[in-house]
Amino acid sequence: MRISGTALLAPLVACLLYACASSPDLYTDGVLVAAPESGPASFTVLTYNAWHGLNTGEFWATPGEPPEVNQARLQFQAAQIAAVHPDLILLQEINPLPARADALVAALADRGLRYDVIHQVDACGIRVRGKAALVSGLNNGLAILATPRLSLRKLTGLKLSGDFGRCDSLSGVQLEELRYALIGDITIPETGQHYLIASTHLHSGIEAGAIFLEGLERAHGSGYLARYPAFRWQIDLSRLRRIGELDLLTRTLRQFRRNGAYAGFAMGGDFNFEPDFPEYEEARLLRLTDAYTIAARGGDLFTADPERNRLIQAGLETGLPPAVQLVFRGLPEELAEQARTAYQAEARRPRRIDYLWIDTFFPGYCVTQQLFGIDVDAAGLPGSDHYGVLTRFVREGGGCIEGAPAAR
């Protein structure tokens, strides 16, 4: 019997219109879109500046702690990570690479947790074939750890700023400050979706918040601080550099999304700006979502908190940084003392500078956030001079905190 083409097409059309519509996974513009109930019950992301353990200057770096203290701190960090067992860990200031990242993976394995790891060096000095280096203890950078089920793979180490030099895993030439982002790919096994993930550490610069700068502006308007305009220009240059780094990273992630079937992305790290800085407004203009703003949480989650973190207290300078000394030069002694007191208060002010930024990352999931790494060891010291941020995405109906906002 001869069967017509129309008869053959009919079942297919019916499937597309009815049966196939009940499938949990659909493709939209080449991207796999999972039904809300098909994803994992929860997904946890940790972003953490783990501290490189170095004393650093413009052209040098020396150990900031004895080797045995450095190794004990790594074990302490591993114990804290194991206690929360994140699915994904975005790390900064891992030194030296790759040995430190591998040691952390091994320490977690000793605690029953398996992770895959990728990395990118962002500060190397002048290094040839690993150990032959101008500064032997410096090979600092970024790492991402993910549970094996996520099939982590490295896409690129993206240089965000710095005109001269490049750092790779075992060699490099660094003639100025370089900033990088480490970009990877993960697969959610329950849905088959791919997400982009990134760890980064943006340019730092002089610590100067809005209130402190407003005080300097008033003093300059009253006829003092003749060098304030040059000082302010230094601040603005740092902000412009971070904006450029943020723009390049976001643009690159979106280019990956256009070229591949990615459901969304998350980028975490030490961004070195606060919510009232222009860089934060730039992130909003880039349509990035600060997970903090949609999360159920307790308190402000200050990640750089000198009043609470003894590692920062130990690192605070007794004097003023050269740039600050210069702007205060020539003040009458009474005003100079007030200026020094104002800067010391500024340096000790708690800050929120570590973030998880998301774009279509587990949409519809409830979000919670909390500080990570606030516990201290026997000496009363935390694992790092930063606290991390632990973000948990929970599928609705899977144990959401009542009233917890949802990711977009």
CSV table of all heavy atoms in Angstrom, one decimal, residues 325-383:
chain,number,residue,atom,x,y,z
A,325,GLN,N,50.0,60.6,51.8
A,325,GLN,CA,51.0,61.5,52.4
A,325,GLN,C,51.1,62.8,51.5
A,325,GLN,O,51.2,63.9,52.0
A,325,GLN,CB,52.3,60.9,52.6
A,325,GLN,CG,52.4,59.8,53.7
A,325,GLN,CD,53.7,59.1,53.8
A,325,GLN,OE1,54.8,59.8,53.6
A,325,GLN,NE2,53.8,57.9,54.1
A,326,LEU,N,51.2,62.5,50.2
A,326,LEU,CA,51.4,63.7,49.3
A,326,LEU,C,50.3,64.6,49.3
A,326,LEU,O,50.4,65.8,49.3
A,326,LEU,CB,51.7,63.1,47.9
A,326,LEU,CG,52.1,64.1,46.8
A,326,LEU,CD1,53.5,64.7,47.2
A,326,LEU,CD2,52.2,63.4,45.5
A,327,VAL,N,49.0,64.1,49.3
A,327,VAL,CA,47.9,65.0,49.3
A,327,VAL,C,47.7,65.8,50.6
A,327,VAL,O,47.2,66.9,50.6
A,327,VAL,CB,46.6,64.2,48.9
A,327,VAL,CG1,46.1,63.4,50.1
A,327,VAL,CG2,45.5,65.2,48.4
A,328,PHE,N,48.2,65.2,51.7
A,328,PHE,CA,48.1,65.9,53.0
A,328,PHE,C,49.3,66.8,53.3
A,328,PHE,O,49.2,67.5,54.3
A,328,PHE,CB,48.0,64.8,54.1
A,328,PHE,CG,46.7,64.1,54.2
A,328,PHE,CD1,46.6,62.9,54.9
A,328,PHE,CD2,45.6,64.6,53.5
A,328,PHE,CE1,45.4,62.2,55.0
A,328,PHE,CE2,44.4,63.9,53.6
A,328,PHE,CZ,44.2,62.7,54.3
A,329,ARG,N,50.3,66.8,52.4
A,329,ARG,CA,51.5,67.6,52.7
A,329,ARG,C,51.1,69.1,52.7
A,329,ARG,O,50.3,69.6,51.9
A,329,ARG,CB,52.5,67.4,51.6
A,329,ARG,CG,53.9,68.0,51.8
A,329,ARG,CD,54.9,67.7,50.8
A,329,ARG,NE,55.1,66.2,50.8
A,329,ARG,CZ,55.9,65.6,49.9
A,329,ARG,NH1,56.4,66.3,48.9
A,329,ARG,NH2,56.1,64.3,50.0
A,330,GLY,N,51.7,69.8,53.7
A,330,GLY,CA,51.5,71.2,53.8
A,330,GLY,C,50.4,71.6,54.7
A,330,GLY,O,50.2,72.8,54.9
A,331,LEU,N,49.6,70.7,55.3
A,331,LEU,CA,48.6,71.0,56.2
A,331,LEU,C,49.1,71.5,57.5
A,331,LEU,O,50.2,71.0,58.0
A,331,LEU,CB,47.7,69.8,56.4
A,331,LEU,CG,46.7,69.4,55.4
A,331,LEU,CD1,46.0,68.1,55.8
A,331,LEU,CD2,45.6,70.5,55.1
A,332,PRO,N,48.5,72.5,58.1
A,332,PRO,CA,48.9,72.8,59.5
A,332,PRO,C,48.8,71.5,60.4
A,332,PRO,O,47.9,70.7,60.2
A,332,PRO,CB,47.8,73.9,59.9
A,332,PRO,CG,47.3,74.4,58.6
A,332,PRO,CD,47.4,73.3,57.6
A,333,GLU,N,49.6,71.5,61.4
A,333,GLU,CA,49.7,70.2,62.2
A,333,GLU,C,48.3,69.8,62.8
A,333,GLU,O,48.0,68.6,62.8
A,333,GLU,CB,50.7,70.4,63.4
A,333,GLU,CG,50.9,69.1,64.2
A,333,GLU,CD,51.3,67.9,63.3
A,333,GLU,OE1,52.0,68.1,62.4
A,333,GLU,OE2,50.8,66.8,63.6
A,334,GLU,N,47.5,70.7,63.2
A,334,GLU,CA,46.2,70.3,63.8
A,334,GLU,C,45.3,69.7,62.7
A,334,GLU,O,44.7,68.6,63.0
A,334,GLU,CB,45.5,71.6,64.4
A,334,GLU,CG,44.1,71.2,65.0
A,334,GLU,CD,43.4,72.4,65.5
A,334,GLU,OE1,44.0,73.5,65.6
A,334,GLU,OE2,42.2,72.3,65.8
A,335,LEU,N,45.3,70.3,61.5
A,335,LEU,CA,44.5,69.7,60.4
A,335,LEU,C,45.2,68.4,59.9
A,335,LEU,O,44.5,67.5,59.5
A,335,LEU,CB,44.4,70.7,59.3
A,335,LEU,CG,43.5,71.9,59.6
A,335,LEU,CD1,43.5,72.9,58.4
A,335,LEU,CD2,42.1,71.5,60.0
A,336,ALA,N,46.5,68.3,59.9
A,336,ALA,CA,47.2,67.1,59.5
A,336,ALA,C,46.8,65.9,60.4
A,336,ALA,O,46.6,64.8,59.9
A,336,ALA,CB,48.7,67.3,59.5
A,337,GLU,N,46.7,66.2,61.7
A,337,GLU,CA,46.3,65.1,62.6
A,337,GLU,C,44.9,64.7,62.3
A,337,GLU,O,44.6,63.5,62.3
A,337,GLU,CB,46.4,65.6,64.0
A,337,GLU,CG,46.1,64.5,65.1
A,337,GLU,CD,46.9,63.3,64.9
A,337,GLU,OE1,48.1,63.4,64.5
A,337,GLU,OE2,46.4,62.2,65.2
A,338,GLN,N,44.0,65.6,62.0
A,338,GLN,CA,42.6,65.3,61.7
A,338,GLN,C,42.6,64.5,60.4
A,338,GLN,O,41.8,63.5,60.3
A,338,GLN,CB,41.8,66.6,61.5
A,338,GLN,CG,41.6,67.3,62.8
A,338,GLN,CD,40.8,68.6,62.6
A,338,GLN,OE1,40.1,68.8,61.6
A,338,GLN,NE2,40.8,69.5,63.6
A,339,ALA,N,43.4,64.9,59.4
A,339,ALA,CA,43.4,64.2,58.2
A,339,ALA,C,43.9,62.7,58.3
A,339,ALA,O,43.4,61.8,57.8
A,339,ALA,CB,44.3,64.9,57.2
A,340,ARG,N,45.0,62.5,59.2
A,340,ARG,CA,45.5,61.2,59.4
A,340,ARG,C,44.4,60.3,60.1
A,340,ARG,O,44.2,59.2,59.7
A,340,ARG,CB,46.8,61.3,60.3
A,340,ARG,CG,48.0,61.7,59.5
A,340,ARG,CD,49.2,61.5,60.4
A,340,ARG,NE,49.3,62.4,61.5
A,340,ARG,CZ,49.9,63.6,61.5
A,340,ARG,NH1,50.4,64.1,60.4
A,340,ARG,NH2,49.9,64.3,62.6
A,341,THR,N,43.7,60.9,61.0
A,341,THR,CA,42.7,60.2,61.7
A,341,THR,C,41.6,59.8,60.8
A,341,THR,O,41.0,58.7,60.8
A,341,THR,CB,42.1,61.0,62.9
A,341,THR,OG1,43.1,61.3,63.8
A,341,THR,CG2,41.0,60.3,63.6
A,342,ALA,N,41.2,60.7,59.9
A,342,ALA,CA,40.2,60.4,58.9
A,342,ALA,C,40.6,59.3,57.9
A,342,ALA,O,39.8,58.4,57.6
A,342,ALA,CB,39.9,61.7,58.1
A,343,TYR,N,41.9,59.3,57.5
A,343,TYR,CA,42.3,58.2,56.6
A,343,TYR,C,42.3,56.9,57.4
A,343,TYR,O,41.9,55.8,56.8
A,343,TYR,CB,43.6,58.5,56.0
A,343,TYR,CG,44.0,57.3,55.1
A,343,TYR,CD1,43.4,57.2,53.8
A,343,TYR,CD2,44.9,56.3,55.5
A,343,TYR,CE1,43.7,56.2,53.0
A,343,TYR,CE2,45.2,55.3,54.7
A,343,TYR,CZ,44.6,55.2,53.4
A,343,TYR,OH,44.8,54.1,52.6
A,344,GLN,N,42.8,56.9,58.6
A,344,GLN,CA,42.8,55.6,59.4
A,344,GLN,C,41.4,55.1,59.6
A,344,GLN,O,41.2,53.9,59.5
A,344,GLN,CB,43.5,55.8,60.7
A,344,GLN,CG,45.0,56.1,60.7
A,344,GLN,CD,45.8,54.9,60.1
A,344,GLN,OE1,45.3,53.8,60.1
A,344,GLN,NE2,46.9,55.2,59.5
A,345,ALA,N,40.4,56.0,59.8
A,345,ALA,CA,39.0,55.5,59.9
A,345,ALA,C,38.6,54.9,58.6
A,345,ALA,O,37.8,53.9,58.5
A,345,ALA,CB,38.2,56.7,60.3
A,346,GLU,N,39.0,55.6,57.5
A,346,GLU,CA,38.6,55.1,56.1
A,346,GLU,C,39.2,53.7,55.9
A,346,GLU,O,38.6,52.8,55.4
A,346,GLU,CB,39.1,56.1,55.1
A,346,GLU,CG,38.9,55.6,53.6
A,346,GLU,CD,37.5,55.5,53.2
A,346,GLU,OE1,36.6,56.0,53.9
A,346,GLU,OE2,37.2,54.9,52.2
A,347,ALA,N,40.5,53.5,56.3
A,347,ALA,CA,41.2,52.2,56.0
A,347,ALA,C,40.5,51.1,56.8
A,347,ALA,O,40.6,49.9,56.5
A,347,ALA,CB,42.6,52.4,56.3
A,348,ARG,N,39.9,51.4,58.0
A,348,ARG,CA,39.4,50.4,58.9
A,348,ARG,C,37.9,50.2,58.6
A,348,ARG,O,37.2,49.4,59.3
A,348,ARG,CB,39.6,50.8,60.3
A,348,ARG,CG,41.1,50.6,60.7
A,348,ARG,CD,41.4,51.0,62.1
A,348,ARG,NE,42.6,50.6,62.6
A,348,ARG,CZ,43.8,51.1,62.3
A,348,ARG,NH1,43.8,52.2,61.5
A,348,ARG,NH2,45.0,50.6,62.7
A,349,ARG,N,37.3,50.9,57.7
A,349,ARG,CA,35.9,50.8,57.4
A,349,ARG,C,35.5,49.5,56.7
A,349,ARG,O,36.2,49.1,55.8
A,349,ARG,CB,35.4,52.0,56.6
A,349,ARG,CG,34.0,52.0,56.2
A,349,ARG,CD,33.6,53.3,55.5
A,349,ARG,NE,34.4,53.5,54.3
A,349,ARG,CZ,34.1,52.9,53.1
A,349,ARG,NH1,33.0,52.1,53.0
A,349,ARG,NH2,34.8,53.1,52.0
A,350,PRO,N,34.5,48.7,57.2
A,350,PRO,CA,34.2,47.5,56.5
A,350,PRO,C,33.6,47.8,55.1
A,350,PRO,O,32.9,48.8,54.8
A,350,PRO,CB,33.1,46.9,57.4
A,350,PRO,CG,32.5,48.0,58.2
A,350,PRO,CD,33.7,49.0,58.3
A,351,ARG,N,33.9,46.8,54.1
A,351,ARG,CA,33.5,47.0,52.7
A,351,ARG,C,32.9,45.7,52.2
A,351,ARG,O,33.3,44.6,52.5
A,351,ARG,CB,34.7,47.4,51.9
A,351,ARG,CG,35.3,48.8,52.2
A,351,ARG,CD,36.7,48.9,51.5
A,351,ARG,NE,37.1,50.3,51.4
A,351,ARG,CZ,37.7,51.0,52.4
A,351,ARG,NH1,37.9,50.3,53.5
A,351,ARG,NH2,38.0,52.2,52.3
A,352,ARG,N,32.0,45.9,51.2
A,352,ARG,CA,31.5,44.8,50.5
A,352,ARG,C,32.1,44.9,49.1
A,352,ARG,O,31.6,45.7,48.3
A,352,ARG,CB,30.0,44.8,50.4
A,352,ARG,CG,29.4,43.5,49.7
A,352,ARG,CD,27.9,43.4,49.9
A,352,ARG,NE,27.2,44.3,49.1
A,352,ARG,CZ,26.7,44.0,47.8
A,352,ARG,NH1,27.1,42.9,47.3
A,352,ARG,NH2,26.0,44.9,47.2
A,353,ILE,N,33.1,44.1,48.8
A,353,ILE,CA,33.8,44.2,47.5
A,353,ILE,C,33.9,42.9,46.7
A,353,ILE,O,34.5,42.9,45.6
A,353,ILE,CB,35.2,44.8,47.7
A,353,ILE,CG1,36.1,44.0,48.6
A,353,ILE,CG2,35.2,46.3,48.2
A,353,ILE,CD1,37.5,44.5,48.8
A,354,ASP,N,33.4,41.8,47.3
A,354,ASP,CA,33.4,40.5,46.7
A,354,ASP,C,32.0,40.2,46.3
A,354,ASP,O,31.1,40.3,47.1
A,354,ASP,CB,34.0,39.5,47.6
A,354,ASP,CG,35.4,39.7,48.0
A,354,ASP,OD1,35.6,40.6,48.9
A,354,ASP,OD2,36.3,39.1,47.4
A,355,TYR,N,31.8,39.8,45.0
A,355,TYR,CA,30.4,39.7,44.5
A,355,TYR,C,30.3,38.4,43.7
A,355,TYR,O,31.2,37.8,43.2
A,355,TYR,CB,30.1,40.8,43.5
A,355,TYR,CG,30.2,42.2,44.1
A,355,TYR,CD1,31.4,42.9,44.1
A,355,TYR,CD2,29.0,42.8,44.5
A,355,TYR,CE1,31.4,44.2,44.6
A,355,TYR,CE2,29.1,44.1,45.0
A,355,TYR,CZ,30.3,44.8,45.1
A,355,TYR,OH,30.3,46.1,45.5
A,356,LEU,N,29.0,38.0,43.6
A,356,LEU,CA,28.6,37.0,42.5
A,356,LEU,C,27.6,37.7,41.6
A,356,LEU,O,26.5,38.1,42.1
A,356,LEU,CB,28.0,35.8,43.1
A,356,LEU,CG,27.6,34.7,42.1
A,356,LEU,CD1,28.9,34.0,41.5
A,356,LEU,CD2,26.7,33.6,42.6
A,357,TRP,N,28.0,38.0,40.4
A,357,TRP,CA,27.2,38.6,39.4
A,357,TRP,C,26.6,37.5,38.5
A,357,TRP,O,27.3,36.6,38.1
A,357,TRP,CB,28.0,39.6,38.6
A,357,TRP,CG,28.5,40.8,39.3
A,357,TRP,CD1,29.7,40.9,39.8
A,357,TRP,CD2,27.8,42.0,39.6
A,357,TRP,NE1,29.9,42.1,40.5
A,357,TRP,CE2,28.7,42.8,40.4
A,357,TRP,CE3,26.5,42.5,39.4
A,357,TRP,CZ2,28.3,44.1,40.8
A,357,TRP,CZ3,26.2,43.7,39.8
A,357,TRP,CH2,27.1,44.5,40.5
A,358,ILE,N,25.3,37.6,38.2
A,358,ILE,CA,24.7,36.6,37.4
A,358,ILE,C,23.9,37.2,36.3
A,358,ILE,O,23.5,38.3,36.3
A,358,ILE,CB,23.8,35.7,38.3
A,358,ILE,CG1,22.7,36.5,38.9
A,358,ILE,CG2,24.6,34.9,39.3
A,358,ILE,CD1,21.7,35.6,39.7
A,359,ASP,N,23.7,36.3,35.2
A,359,ASP,CA,22.9,36.7,34.1
A,359,ASP,C,22.2,35.4,33.6
A,359,ASP,O,22.8,34.5,33.1
A,359,ASP,CB,23.8,37.3,33.0
A,359,ASP,CG,22.9,37.7,31.8
A,359,ASP,OD1,21.8,37.3,31.7
A,359,ASP,OD2,23.5,38.5,30.9
A,360,THR,N,20.9,35.3,33.9
A,360,THR,CA,20.1,34.1,33.6
A,360,THR,C,20.8,32.8,34.2
A,360,THR,O,21.0,31.9,33.5
A,360,THR,CB,19.9,34.0,32.1
A,360,THR,OG1,19.8,35.2,31.5
A,360,THR,CG2,18.7,33.1,31.7
A,361,PHE,N,21.1,32.9,35.5
A,361,PHE,CA,21.7,31.8,36.1
A,361,PHE,C,20.7,31.1,37.1
A,361,PHE,O,20.3,31.7,38.1
A,361,PHE,CB,22.9,32.3,36.9
A,361,PHE,CG,23.9,31.2,37.3
A,361,PHE,CD1,24.7,30.6,36.4
A,361,PHE,CD2,24.0,30.8,38.7
A,361,PHE,CE1,25.6,29.6,36.8
A,361,PHE,CE2,24.9,29.8,39.1
A,361,PHE,CZ,25.7,29.2,38.1
A,362,PHE,N,20.3,29.9,36.8
A,362,PHE,CA,19.3,29.2,37.5
A,362,PHE,C,18.0,30.1,37.8
A,362,PHE,O,17.6,30.3,38.9
A,362,PHE,CB,19.8,28.7,38.9
A,362,PHE,CG,20.7,27.5,38.7
A,362,PHE,CD1,22.1,27.7,38.7
A,362,PHE,CD2,20.2,26.2,38.6
A,362,PHE,CE1,23.0,26.6,38.5
A,362,PHE,CE2,21.1,25.1,38.4
A,362,PHE,CZ,22.4,25.3,38.4
A,363,PRO,N,17.4,30.6,36.7
A,363,PRO,CA,16.3,31.5,36.8
A,363,PRO,C,15.1,30.7,37.5
A,363,PRO,O,14.9,29.6,37.3
A,363,PRO,CB,15.9,31.8,35.4
A,363,PRO,CG,16.5,30.7,34.5
A,363,PRO,CD,17.8,30.3,35.3
A,364,GLY,N,14.4,31.5,38.4
A,364,GLY,CA,13.3,30.9,39.1
A,364,GLY,C,13.7,30.3,40.4
A,364,GLY,O,12.8,29.9,41.2
A,365,TYR,N,15.0,30.0,40.6
A,365,TYR,CA,15.4,29.4,41.9
A,365,TYR,C,15.4,30.5,43.0
A,365,TYR,O,15.7,31.7,42.8
A,365,TYR,CB,16.8,28.8,41.8
A,365,TYR,CG,16.9,27.5,41.2
A,365,TYR,CD1,16.2,27.2,39.9
A,365,TYR,CD2,17.5,26.4,41.8
A,365,TYR,CE1,16.3,25.9,39.4
A,365,TYR,CE2,17.6,25.1,41.3
A,365,TYR,CZ,17.0,24.9,40.1
A,365,TYR,OH,17.0,23.6,39.5
A,366,CYS,N,15.1,30.1,44.2
A,366,CYS,CA,15.3,30.9,45.4
A,366,CYS,C,16.8,31.1,45.7
A,366,CYS,O,17.6,30.2,45.4
A,366,CYS,CB,14.6,30.3,46.6
A,366,CYS,SG,12.9,29.9,46.4
A,367,VAL,N,17.2,32.3,46.2
A,367,VAL,CA,18.6,32.6,46.4
A,367,VAL,C,18.8,33.0,47.8
A,367,VAL,O,18.1,33.8,48.4
A,367,VAL,CB,19.0,33.8,45.5
A,367,VAL,CG1,20.5,34.0,45.6
A,367,VAL,CG2,18.7,33.5,44.0
A,368,THR,N,19.9,32.4,48.4
A,368,THR,CA,20.3,32.9,49.8
A,368,THR,C,21.8,33.1,49.7
A,368,THR,O,22.5,32.6,48.9
A,368,THR,CB,20.0,31.8,50.9
A,368,THR,OG1,20.8,30.6,50.5
A,368,THR,CG2,18.5,31.4,50.9
A,369,GLN,N,22.3,34.0,50.6
A,369,GLN,CA,23.7,34.3,50.7
A,369,GLN,C,24.1,34.4,52.1
A,369,GLN,O,23.3,34.9,53.0
A,369,GLN,CB,24.0,35.6,50.0
A,369,GLN,CG,24.3,35.5,48.5
A,369,GLN,CD,25.0,36.7,47.9
A,369,GLN,OE1,25.0,37.8,48.4
A,369,GLN,NE2,25.6,36.5,46.7
A,370,GLN,N,25.4,34.1,52.4
A,370,GLN,CA,26.0,34.2,53.7
A,370,GLN,C,27.5,34.4,53.5
A,370,GLN,O,28.1,34.0,52.5
A,370,GLN,CB,25.7,33.0,54.6
A,370,GLN,CG,26.3,31.7,54.1
A,370,GLN,CD,25.9,30.5,54.9
A,370,GLN,OE1,24.7,30.0,54.7
A,370,GLN,NE2,26.7,30.0,55.7
A,371,LEU,N,28.1,35.0,54.6
A,371,LEU,CA,29.6,35.1,54.6
A,371,LEU,C,30.2,33.7,54.8
A,371,LEU,O,29.6,32.9,55.5
A,371,LEU,CB,30.0,36.0,55.7
A,371,LEU,CG,29.9,37.5,55.4
A,371,LEU,CD1,30.4,38.3,56.6
A,371,LEU,CD2,30.6,38.0,54.1
A,372,PHE,N,31.3,33.5,54.2
A,372,PHE,CA,32.1,32.3,54.3
A,372,PHE,C,33.4,32.6,55.0
A,372,PHE,O,34.0,33.6,54.7
A,372,PHE,CB,32.3,31.6,53.0
A,372,PHE,CG,33.3,30.5,53.0
A,372,PHE,CD1,32.9,29.2,53.4
A,372,PHE,CD2,34.6,30.7,52.7
A,372,PHE,CE1,33.8,28.2,53.4
A,372,PHE,CE2,35.5,29.7,52.7
A,372,PHE,CZ,35.2,28.4,53.1
A,373,GLY,N,34.0,31.7,55.8
A,373,GLY,CA,35.3,31.8,56.3
A,373,GLY,C,35.5,32.7,57.5
A,373,GLY,O,36.6,33.3,57.7
A,374,ILE,N,34.4,32.9,58.2
A,374,ILE,CA,34.5,33.8,59.4
A,374,ILE,C,35.0,33.1,60.6
A,374,ILE,O,35.4,33.8,61.6
A,374,ILE,CB,33.1,34.4,59.7
A,374,ILE,CG1,32.1,33.3,60.0
A,374,ILE,CG2,32.6,35.3,58.6
A,374,ILE,CD1,30.7,33.9,60.4
A,375,ASP,N,35.1,31.8,60.6
A,375,ASP,CA,35.6,31.1,61.8
A,375,ASP,C,37.1,31.3,61.8
A,375,ASP,O,37.8,31.6,60.8
A,375,ASP,CB,35.4,29.6,61.6
A,375,ASP,CG,33.9,29.2,61.8
A,375,ASP,OD1,33.2,30.0,62.4
A,375,ASP,OD2,33.5,28.2,61.3
A,376,VAL,N,37.7,31.2,63.0
A,376,VAL,CA,39.1,31.4,63.2
A,376,VAL,C,39.8,30.2,63.7
A,376,VAL,O,39.2,29.3,64.3
A,376,VAL,CB,39.4,32.6,64.2
A,376,VAL,CG1,38.8,33.9,63.6
A,376,VAL,CG2,38.8,32.3,65.5
A,377,ASP,N,41.2,30.1,63.5
A,377,ASP,CA,41.9,29.0,64.0
A,377,ASP,C,42.3,29.1,65.4
A,377,ASP,O,41.9,30.1,66.1
A,377,ASP,CB,43.1,28.7,63.1
A,377,ASP,CG,44.1,29.9,63.1
A,377,ASP,OD1,44.0,30.8,64.0
A,377,ASP,OD2,45.0,30.0,62.2
A,378,ALA,N,43.2,28.3,65.9
A,378,ALA,CA,43.6,28.3,67.3
A,378,ALA,C,44.3,29.6,67.7
A,378,ALA,O,44.3,30.0,68.8
A,378,ALA,CB,44.5,27.1,67.6
A,379,ALA,N,44.9,30.2,66.7
A,379,ALA,CA,45.6,31.5,66.9
A,379,ALA,C,44.7,32.7,66.8
A,379,ALA,O,45.1,33.9,66.9
A,379,ALA,CB,46.8,31.7,65.9
A,380,GLY,N,43.4,32.4,66.5
A,380,GLY,CA,42.5,33.5,66.4
A,380,GLY,C,42.4,34.2,65.0
A,380,GLY,O,41.9,35.3,64.9
A,381,LEU,N,43.0,33.5,64.0
A,381,LEU,CA,43.1,34.1,62.7
A,381,LEU,C,42.1,33.3,61.7
A,381,LEU,O,42.0,32.1,61.8
A,381,LEU,CB,44.5,34.0,62.1
A,381,LEU,CG,45.5,34.8,62.9
A,381,LEU,CD1,46.9,34.5,62.4
A,381,LEU,CD2,45.3,36.3,62.8
A,382,PRO,N,41.5,34.1,60.8
A,382,PRO,CA,40.7,33.4,59.8
A,382,PRO,C,41.6,32.8,58.7
A,382,PRO,O,42.8,33.0,58.7
A,382,PRO,CB,39.8,34.6,59.3
A,382,PRO,CG,40.7,35.8,59.4
A,382,PRO,CD,41.5,35.5,60.7
A,383,GLY,N,41.0,32.2,57.7
A,383,GLY,CA,41.7,31.6,56.6
A,383,GLY,C,42.3,32.6,55.6
A,383,GLY,O,43.1,32.2,54.8
